[in-house]
Each structure stands twice: as C-alpha cells, then as structure tokens.
Amino acid sequence: MSGPTDLTFADIDRDEALLEAVAALHGETRAAFLRKAAIGGGALLAALAMPPSAGAAARLTDTAVLQFGLRFERLQATFYTEADRLGTVGRMPAAKQQWARTLGAHERAHVRIIKQILGDKAGPRPFFDFHGSTESDGSFTRTAVAMEDLTVALLTGVTPHMQDRRLSAALFGLLTTEARHAAWARHLVGTTPAARSFDDPRPVADVQSIVDATHFIRASPRLRRRRSRPRFTG
Amino acid sequence: MSRRRILAWAAGGAAAATLAAVAGSGPAGTAADRAPAATPDGAVDARGLPAPVRPAFTPGRPRALGADRFTSRWAPVRRPATALARPAAGAPAVARVAARTPEGTTNIVLVIGRRTDAAGRVWVRARLATLPNGRTGWLPRSALGGYGTVDTELRVDTARLTATLLVRGRPVFRAPVGIGQTRWPTPRGRFYVRDELTRFAGRTYGPVAFGTSARSSVLTDWPAGGFVGIHGTDRPDLVPGRISHGCIRLRNADILVLARLMPVGTPLTVD
C-alpha cells in the first residue's frame, strides 16, 4: 500500500481513464501531465482540484444542476450496489465492508431524494458499464476514491451557482457528506484524508468530461426494435 | 465551554464586523440578515445570529441492500466472442457468441456465475442461446458490457398451458398459452428473454413478440435458426392449446399486459 504522501493519481486510476481526461483538461498529454505532476512531489488526487486551463462555468439552471447531480449520484449508487451484489464488498476486510456499504446506502438515498425533487424531469436511468472495476477489491477501491474526490470537486463548483438558496443549502449538506466519504476512502487506502488546505471548485463541464472519459455511462443496449418482422418459429 | 460561549468567542472583535458584512448581503436585508447586536463586553449575542437556510430537501434514511435471491443479471455482448468450457484461456470452445441477434438487437447473455483466474482475469459464466438448449459457457468479462438486472421470472407450465410472471418471487400475472405441437415441441429448460419487437407488419405474431434464447431442436432450418418467441396471435381461439411450431402464444390482450411487466433479460423456465 502507498504511504500517506506518495499516492499518485495513477495509483488510484490504474485504468487511466480519469487521468486521460484530467490531462486533457489541462491541455496536456497524459505523459506530460504525469511528468509535471511528479515534479511537484506526486500528482496525488489533487490533480482533480488543479484549476483547468480554460473555461468558465457556464450559466446553469438549478434544474440542470440537479439533473447532472442525479446522473452522477446514480453512477455512484450503481457502482457501490453492483460491487456489493457481485460479492466484491463481501470479500473485503470488515472495515472496508462497512465503508463501502455505508457509502452505497448514502448514495442510494441521494438518488431517491433528487429523483423525487426532479419528478418528471429526472430522466431515465442511464446504462452503466464499469468495465470490471466493481469486480475486484483493488479496482473498486481505486475508482471509489477518485469518484468521491470528483464528487466533492463537482459540488464545490456548482453549489454557489444555485439560484434557490434552499437548494444550495441542500447541496451543501450533500457536499459535506461527500467530503466525509472522500476522506474516509482516502484514509482506507492509506493516504492523507485532507490532502490540501483548500478544495478548488470544478465546473460541471470538466466533471462531465472526466465522467465521459471513463465510459462508465454508455448508450443503452438496443433490446427493443420496432417494425422488425419477427422470424421466431411462430 | 458552552455553545453560546463558543459562538461568542468565535465571533468576537473584528470577526464580528466581518460576519456582519457577510450577513448583510443586500441593501434591504431581512431581519435575519442584519448584524447581531453586540453585548457590552464586545461579544456577539448569539441569539441575534441568522438561522441556517432551510434546505430544499434532505435525504431519507440510508437503507441497506435487501435480499438478492430474486435478482438476475444479464450483460450485452460487446464484441463477438467464443464461450469456453472452463474459465481459462485455452479451454475447449463451447460456442461462438455474436454481438447481434438475428433480429438486429444487441445480443445479451444471462449471467449465472463469475470467477477470477490466477492471472486476475474475470470470467463470466453465461447461459447461451445455442443448440443444444441449456448450454452454458465461460466468456471473458471484457467481451461483455455493463450488467443489467431484473427481479422478474417467467414460468411456462406445458402441462397446465399457463404462463406466470413472478416479480421478486411473487406471481403478478398469469395467462393461458399456446405451445408447440407434439411434432414441434416447445423446448423445456431454463432460458431468458433477449429482445422485444413491436409495431411489425402482419397479425400472425400479434402486437408484441419477445425473442428468447430457446431454439427449436426440430425446426433447425427455420429462418434465423428457429428461435422460440413469446408473442400474441391472430388465432386467439386456439389458446390454450398445443398449436404452435414451438413458440409460446398468448392472447393479444395478455401479451400487452406482459409487455408492460416483463423486461428484457427476464429468466424463462419452461417445464
């Protein structure tokens, strides 16, 4: 296991899907980004919190923020649920089981309430493909750490933009909870729970790019077809 | 230290002025936004501090996952692959698995097991849509897409000529069915629903037809390989009965109800 200060982003993101996207946001190749990050004493997960080179947050409506938030919460809830259902969580040490199951229950509760708030505007559940990262302790943990940190960066970025103060108050409640999730995850992998003295906000567009780059959210398989004449035996 | 004293300490002196400036967010601030009154010793009277903004929502109690015994898992075939007899590279091939069904939909397999080999590769044991019926094989996890889940199961009783849909183990729908004639029997065993076709021309199959992984072991030269469907009919007078080429026919009103309740990926048992 990595020591408390030498955990690199690549350690967490072994498939490097997130890394590619983060590097792109900084206008660099993956190799250049890694090199630069290494000079600074290890990329750490602070890579997620480094300010991107360009792009101010677009003006977002409260509904759009909640819709993106729901998409992201669904991603997390499905991730933890799938790992639990597949038995990956059950094979972990007791402390990690408690962590994974607590986070899974929290994320499902977040999904329920945001869906309820959005009502008809919630949209259909996306189809997720975690590319096997729910199927082993190592890849599950690495992805969970990156995902929780990303959630904190997202909520830090969007919460001040909410026009309805009561909605921003609710998102602050989610933000502090997600920050505890991130710290708990970091503690479990043996890295510093609070790596920096300040969490920089991250625009939704950046988070969207990072999530897109993981390819965790996929087009639904085409299971239904119209006007295709059946050729079953009849 | 009491809560009030802590607040007074935190907000004392210059900090009190800062708090007041932050709280007074506009020229016409509300009573709650106004600066709290200072006590004679310079500390802030905590009773004058604004109340927190009431959140628009708060999540309900977190709930642990329930029992999993009614959940079945399926996965789309991401790329054509060879199903193997064992979860190991080099094991004998069992069948070739395509990425598309003959109907042009995404091919899916029903997941019935998983194993990680010594090299750390994950293998998935899947029910296959091949002859002989009931065959299973191991596919590399990388050949499959994300998992879908269902909590439904369809049971077809060929003696009673009924179809029963269970949701989380409880029957929610039952209807009479037509099944294969003696010379073209509906295959028995465990299968799954792998696609759903609608709005096609012609009335033979009714308004909805589900494709299944079951295949006729007799009509092997049927177009597209003789897959067994579950569909409506233009001859409702023949249902229930042993009247088809192997397909499972329901009256049109029944197949429409079933289509609302049964997702693709549902396990199918014919016995």
PDB file of all heavy atoms in Angstrom, chain B residues 144-163:
ATOM      1  N   LEU B 144     -18.050  -8.517 -22.596  1.00  0.00           N
ATOM      2  CA  LEU B 144     -19.408  -8.119 -22.223  1.00  0.00           C
ATOM      3  C   LEU B 144     -19.447  -6.678 -21.744  1.00  0.00           C
ATOM      4  O   LEU B 144     -18.446  -6.150 -21.246  1.00  0.00           O
ATOM      5  CB  LEU B 144     -19.944  -9.036 -21.118  1.00  0.00           C
ATOM      6  CG  LEU B 144     -19.913 -10.537 -21.418  1.00  0.00           C
ATOM      7  CD1 LEU B 144     -20.351 -11.334 -20.189  1.00  0.00           C
ATOM      8  CD2 LEU B 144     -20.808 -10.864 -22.617  1.00  0.00           C
ATOM      9  N   GLY B 145     -20.612  -6.066 -21.879  1.00  0.00           N
ATOM     10  CA  GLY B 145     -20.797  -4.711 -21.374  1.00  0.00           C
ATOM     11  C   GLY B 145     -21.254  -4.717 -19.930  1.00  0.00           C
ATOM     12  O   GLY B 145     -21.113  -5.718 -19.227  1.00  0.00           O
ATOM     13  N   GLY B 146     -21.796  -3.589 -19.499  1.00  0.00           N
ATOM     14  CA  GLY B 146     -22.244  -3.451 -18.113  1.00  0.00           C
ATOM     15  C   GLY B 146     -23.382  -4.398 -17.781  1.00  0.00           C
ATOM     16  O   GLY B 146     -24.106  -4.853 -18.663  1.00  0.00           O
ATOM     17  N   TYR B 147     -23.542  -4.677 -16.514  1.00  0.00           N
ATOM     18  CA  TYR B 147     -24.600  -5.586 -16.082  1.00  0.00           C
ATOM     19  C   TYR B 147     -25.952  -4.871 -16.022  1.00  0.00           C
ATOM     20  O   TYR B 147     -26.040  -3.737 -15.568  1.00  0.00           O
ATOM     21  CB  TYR B 147     -24.308  -6.129 -14.685  1.00  0.00           C
ATOM     22  CG  TYR B 147     -23.101  -7.025 -14.594  1.00  0.00           C
ATOM     23  CD1 TYR B 147     -22.038  -6.695 -13.772  1.00  0.00           C
ATOM     24  CD2 TYR B 147     -23.035  -8.213 -15.312  1.00  0.00           C
ATOM     25  CE1 TYR B 147     -20.924  -7.524 -13.663  1.00  0.00           C
ATOM     26  CE2 TYR B 147     -21.931  -9.042 -15.215  1.00  0.00           C
ATOM     27  CZ  TYR B 147     -20.884  -8.693 -14.391  1.00  0.00           C
ATOM     28  OH  TYR B 147     -19.789  -9.512 -14.293  1.00  0.00           O
ATOM     29  N   GLY B 148     -26.977  -5.567 -16.476  1.00  0.00           N
ATOM     30  CA  GLY B 148     -28.339  -5.137 -16.220  1.00  0.00           C
ATOM     31  C   GLY B 148     -28.941  -6.114 -15.231  1.00  0.00           C
ATOM     32  O   GLY B 148     -28.489  -7.268 -15.139  1.00  0.00           O
ATOM     33  N   THR B 149     -29.912  -5.674 -14.470  1.00  0.00           N
ATOM     34  CA  THR B 149     -30.533  -6.584 -13.509  1.00  0.00           C
ATOM     35  C   THR B 149     -32.052  -6.576 -13.677  1.00  0.00           C
ATOM     36  O   THR B 149     -32.632  -5.575 -14.083  1.00  0.00           O
ATOM     37  CB  THR B 149     -30.203  -6.199 -12.048  1.00  0.00           C
ATOM     38  OG1 THR B 149     -30.613  -4.854 -11.821  1.00  0.00           O
ATOM     39  CG2 THR B 149     -28.731  -6.340 -11.753  1.00  0.00           C
ATOM     40  N   VAL B 150     -32.661  -7.704 -13.369  1.00  0.00           N
ATOM     41  CA  VAL B 150     -34.123  -7.818 -13.346  1.00  0.00           C
ATOM     42  C   VAL B 150     -34.505  -8.595 -12.088  1.00  0.00           C
ATOM     43  O   VAL B 150     -33.694  -9.367 -11.547  1.00  0.00           O
ATOM     44  CB  VAL B 150     -34.676  -8.568 -14.587  1.00  0.00           C
ATOM     45  CG1 VAL B 150     -34.420  -7.791 -15.873  1.00  0.00           C
ATOM     46  CG2 VAL B 150     -34.101  -9.974 -14.696  1.00  0.00           C
ATOM     47  N   ASP B 151     -35.717  -8.359 -11.610  1.00  0.00           N
ATOM     48  CA  ASP B 151     -36.194  -9.150 -10.469  1.00  0.00           C
ATOM     49  C   ASP B 151     -37.458  -9.913 -10.869  1.00  0.00           C
ATOM     50  O   ASP B 151     -38.334 -10.156 -10.055  1.00  0.00           O
ATOM     51  CB  ASP B 151     -36.423  -8.272  -9.233  1.00  0.00           C
ATOM     52  CG  ASP B 151     -37.383  -7.137  -9.499  1.00  0.00           C
ATOM     53  OD1 ASP B 151     -37.979  -7.098 -10.593  1.00  0.00           O
ATOM     54  OD2 ASP B 151     -37.550  -6.284  -8.606  1.00  0.00           O
ATOM     55  N   THR B 152     -37.527 -10.262 -12.138  1.00  0.00           N
ATOM     56  CA  THR B 152     -38.684 -10.967 -12.689  1.00  0.00           C
ATOM     57  C   THR B 152     -38.274 -12.364 -13.148  1.00  0.00           C
ATOM     58  O   THR B 152     -37.093 -12.627 -13.402  1.00  0.00           O
ATOM     59  CB  THR B 152     -39.238 -10.197 -13.907  1.00  0.00           C
ATOM     60  OG1 THR B 152     -38.136  -9.817 -14.735  1.00  0.00           O
ATOM     61  CG2 THR B 152     -39.998  -8.963 -13.485  1.00  0.00           C
ATOM     62  N   GLU B 153     -39.268 -13.234 -13.276  1.00  0.00           N
ATOM     63  CA  GLU B 153     -39.031 -14.567 -13.827  1.00  0.00           C
ATOM     64  C   GLU B 153     -40.331 -15.029 -14.488  1.00  0.00           C
ATOM     65  O   GLU B 153     -41.409 -14.835 -13.914  1.00  0.00           O
ATOM     66  CB  GLU B 153     -38.647 -15.556 -12.712  1.00  0.00           C
ATOM     67  CG  GLU B 153     -38.344 -16.944 -13.257  1.00  0.00           C
ATOM     68  CD  GLU B 153     -38.266 -18.015 -12.160  1.00  0.00           C
ATOM     69  OE1 GLU B 153     -38.326 -17.672 -10.971  1.00  0.00           O
ATOM     70  OE2 GLU B 153     -38.183 -19.197 -12.518  1.00  0.00           O
ATOM     71  N   LEU B 154     -40.243 -15.599 -15.685  1.00  0.00           N
ATOM     72  CA  LEU B 154     -41.433 -16.116 -16.371  1.00  0.00           C
ATOM     73  C   LEU B 154     -41.384 -17.635 -16.352  1.00  0.00           C
ATOM     74  O   LEU B 154     -40.363 -18.230 -16.730  1.00  0.00           O
ATOM     75  CB  LEU B 154     -41.485 -15.607 -17.813  1.00  0.00           C
ATOM     76  CG  LEU B 154     -42.769 -15.975 -18.567  1.00  0.00           C
ATOM     77  CD1 LEU B 154     -43.971 -15.214 -18.008  1.00  0.00           C
ATOM     78  CD2 LEU B 154     -42.636 -15.685 -20.064  1.00  0.00           C
ATOM     79  N   ARG B 155     -42.480 -18.234 -15.906  1.00  0.00           N
ATOM     80  CA  ARG B 155     -42.550 -19.698 -15.868  1.00  0.00           C
ATOM     81  C   ARG B 155     -43.675 -20.155 -16.787  1.00  0.00           C
ATOM     82  O   ARG B 155     -44.816 -19.684 -16.649  1.00  0.00           O
ATOM     83  CB  ARG B 155     -42.823 -20.194 -14.446  1.00  0.00           C
ATOM     84  CG  ARG B 155     -41.646 -19.967 -13.518  1.00  0.00           C
ATOM     85  CD  ARG B 155     -41.948 -20.525 -12.153  1.00  0.00           C
ATOM     86  NE  ARG B 155     -40.872 -20.187 -11.225  1.00  0.00           N
ATOM     87  CZ  ARG B 155     -40.960 -20.295  -9.921  1.00  0.00           C
ATOM     88  NH1 ARG B 155     -42.079 -20.747  -9.369  1.00  0.00           N
ATOM     89  NH2 ARG B 155     -39.949 -19.974  -9.145  1.00  0.00           N
ATOM     90  N   VAL B 156     -43.343 -21.062 -17.682  1.00  0.00           N
ATOM     91  CA  VAL B 156     -44.352 -21.621 -18.578  1.00  0.00           C
ATOM     92  C   VAL B 156     -44.562 -23.072 -18.193  1.00  0.00           C
ATOM     93  O   VAL B 156     -43.603 -23.861 -18.155  1.00  0.00           O
ATOM     94  CB  VAL B 156     -43.917 -21.488 -20.049  1.00  0.00           C
ATOM     95  CG1 VAL B 156     -44.885 -22.222 -20.962  1.00  0.00           C
ATOM     96  CG2 VAL B 156     -43.827 -20.011 -20.440  1.00  0.00           C
ATOM     97  N   ASP B 157     -45.795 -23.387 -17.877  1.00  0.00           N
ATOM     98  CA  ASP B 157     -46.157 -24.740 -17.470  1.00  0.00           C
ATOM     99  C   ASP B 157     -46.783 -25.433 -18.685  1.00  0.00           C
ATOM    100  O   ASP B 157     -47.917 -25.107 -19.079  1.00  0.00           O
ATOM    101  CB  ASP B 157     -47.145 -24.638 -16.297  1.00  0.00           C
ATOM    102  CG  ASP B 157     -47.479 -26.001 -15.708  1.00  0.00           C
ATOM    103  OD1 ASP B 157     -47.471 -27.002 -16.463  1.00  0.00           O
ATOM    104  OD2 ASP B 157     -47.765 -26.064 -14.495  1.00  0.00           O
ATOM    105  N   THR B 158     -46.061 -26.371 -19.276  1.00  0.00           N
ATOM    106  CA  THR B 158     -46.546 -27.002 -20.509  1.00  0.00           C
ATOM    107  C   THR B 158     -47.639 -28.038 -20.228  1.00  0.00           C
ATOM    108  O   THR B 158     -48.309 -28.488 -21.153  1.00  0.00           O
ATOM    109  CB  THR B 158     -45.385 -27.682 -21.263  1.00  0.00           C
ATOM    110  OG1 THR B 158     -44.764 -28.624 -20.388  1.00  0.00           O
ATOM    111  CG2 THR B 158     -44.375 -26.671 -21.751  1.00  0.00           C
ATOM    112  N   ALA B 159     -47.807 -28.424 -18.977  1.00  0.00           N
ATOM    113  CA  ALA B 159     -48.895 -29.352 -18.640  1.00  0.00           C
ATOM    114  C   ALA B 159     -50.202 -28.579 -18.449  1.00  0.00           C
ATOM    115  O   ALA B 159     -51.238 -28.942 -18.989  1.00  0.00           O
ATOM    116  CB  ALA B 159     -48.543 -30.134 -17.371  1.00  0.00           C
ATOM    117  N   ARG B 160     -50.109 -27.484 -17.719  1.00  0.00           N
ATOM    118  CA  ARG B 160     -51.322 -26.682 -17.457  1.00  0.00           C
ATOM    119  C   ARG B 160     -51.572 -25.640 -18.546  1.00  0.00           C
ATOM    120  O   ARG B 160     -52.596 -24.963 -18.518  1.00  0.00           O
ATOM    121  CB  ARG B 160     -51.200 -25.985 -16.106  1.00  0.00           C
ATOM    122  CG  ARG B 160     -51.217 -26.946 -14.923  1.00  0.00           C
ATOM    123  CD  ARG B 160     -51.467 -26.171 -13.623  1.00  0.00           C
ATOM    124  NE  ARG B 160     -51.690 -27.070 -12.513  1.00  0.00           N
ATOM    125  CZ  ARG B 160     -50.725 -27.495 -11.694  1.00  0.00           C
ATOM    126  NH1 ARG B 160     -49.485 -27.091 -11.885  1.00  0.00           N
ATOM    127  NH2 ARG B 160     -51.008 -28.326 -10.709  1.00  0.00           N
ATOM    128  N   LEU B 161     -50.594 -25.453 -19.431  1.00  0.00           N
ATOM    129  CA  LEU B 161     -50.705 -24.470 -20.517  1.00  0.00           C
ATOM    130  C   LEU B 161     -50.932 -23.057 -19.975  1.00  0.00           C
ATOM    131  O   LEU B 161     -51.847 -22.340 -20.385  1.00  0.00           O
ATOM    132  CB  LEU B 161     -51.828 -24.866 -21.491  1.00  0.00           C
ATOM    133  CG  LEU B 161     -51.622 -26.206 -22.209  1.00  0.00           C
ATOM    134  CD1 LEU B 161     -52.844 -26.541 -23.071  1.00  0.00           C
ATOM    135  CD2 LEU B 161     -50.373 -26.168 -23.079  1.00  0.00           C
ATOM    136  N   THR B 162     -50.060 -22.669 -19.042  1.00  0.00           N
ATOM    137  CA  THR B 162     -50.131 -21.318 -18.477  1.00  0.00           C
ATOM    138  C   THR B 162     -48.742 -20.681 -18.460  1.00  0.00           C
ATOM    139  O   THR B 162     -47.726 -21.388 -18.413  1.00  0.00           O
ATOM    140  CB  THR B 162     -50.649 -21.327 -17.020  1.00  0.00           C
ATOM    141  OG1 THR B 162     -49.786 -22.176 -16.242  1.00  0.00           O
ATOM    142  CG2 THR B 162     -52.087 -21.809 -16.929  1.00  0.00           C
ATOM    143  N   ALA B 163     -48.749 -19.364 -18.485  1.00  0.00           N
ATOM    144  CA  ALA B 163     -47.511 -18.593 -18.267  1.00  0.00           C
ATOM    145  C   ALA B 163     -47.740 -17.751 -17.020  1.00  0.00           C
ATOM    146  O   ALA B 163     -48.781 -17.102 -16.883  1.00  0.00           O
ATOM    147  CB  ALA B 163     -47.215 -17.703 -19.455  1.00  0.00           C
TER     148      ALA B 163
END
